[in-house]
Amino acid sequence: MRDAQQILAEANVIAVVGASRDPFKPAHTVPLQMLRHGWRIIPVNPFVDEVFGVRTVPTLADLDEPVDLVNVFRPASDAVEVVRQAVAIKAPAVWLQSGIFSAEARRIAEEAGLDYVEDRCLAVERAVGSLTKLP
């Protein structure tokens, strides 16, 4: 299993489940920071058409391309279903943001062979590792 730094370093396309239009929420600022550092972000949100100028898709099943990482900004109670969807689209990794834990989601991910991170912030890990996709 890859660690958080390896997952980020090797990812190029990140689907963000629960991405928000609210500029004061981490579900907006964190993926926006990743976007600004060169990752391609696909917001997954069934309630809005776009987030930070990027068209959303309603669910992971609606993606029309593979992703390297599924980042989750949803309550822990939703994590199990999101991980099941990540398995179904053959995502190689799932990352639950800070404060989100789920033993059942972890079990499903690990049984399917997905790399799994929980209770960690993508943006913090990016900064700690000085990671960027920019030239």
Side-chain angles (χ1 to χ4, degrees), residues 4 6 9 31 36 40 51 53 57 61 65 83 127:
Q6 287 176 295
R36 288 179 174 162
R40 181 148 179 270
V51 175
V57 295
E65 65 183 285
V83 171

Side-chain angles (χ1 to χ4, degrees), residues 2-106:
R2 297 177 297 167
D3 67 20
Q5 290 289 313
Q6 287 176 295
I7 292 167
L8 276 183
E10 295 172 7
N12 291 305
V13 180
I14 303 172
V16 180
V17 177
S20 174
R21 288 189 306 185
D22 184 337
F24 298 104
K25 288 187 172 183
H28 180 89
T29 59
V30 169
L32 182 59
Q33 182 184 136
M34 301 306 289
L35 184 69
R36 288 179 174 162
H37 282 275
W39 279 265
R40 181 148 179 270
I41 301 298
I42 303 171
V44 180
N45 185 323
F47 303 109
V48 297
D49 293 331
E50 64 91 28
V51 175
F52 35 78
V54 179
R55 226 173 134 63
T56 62
V57 295
T59 70
L60 291 174
D62 295 304
L63 290 167
D64 58 5
E65 65 183 285
V67 297
D68 302 308
L69 174 60
V70 172
N71 181 223
V72 182
F73 277 97
R74 298 292 306 142
S77 58
D78 294 348
V80 170
E81 182 54 32
V82 173
V83 171
R84 284 189 180 122
Q85 291 175 23
V87 169
I89 65 163
K90 298 180 175 32
V94 175
W95 187 304
L96 277 57
Q97 277 297 131
S98 298
I100 308 171
F101 302 87
S102 172
E104 179 69 3
R106 175 182 288 277

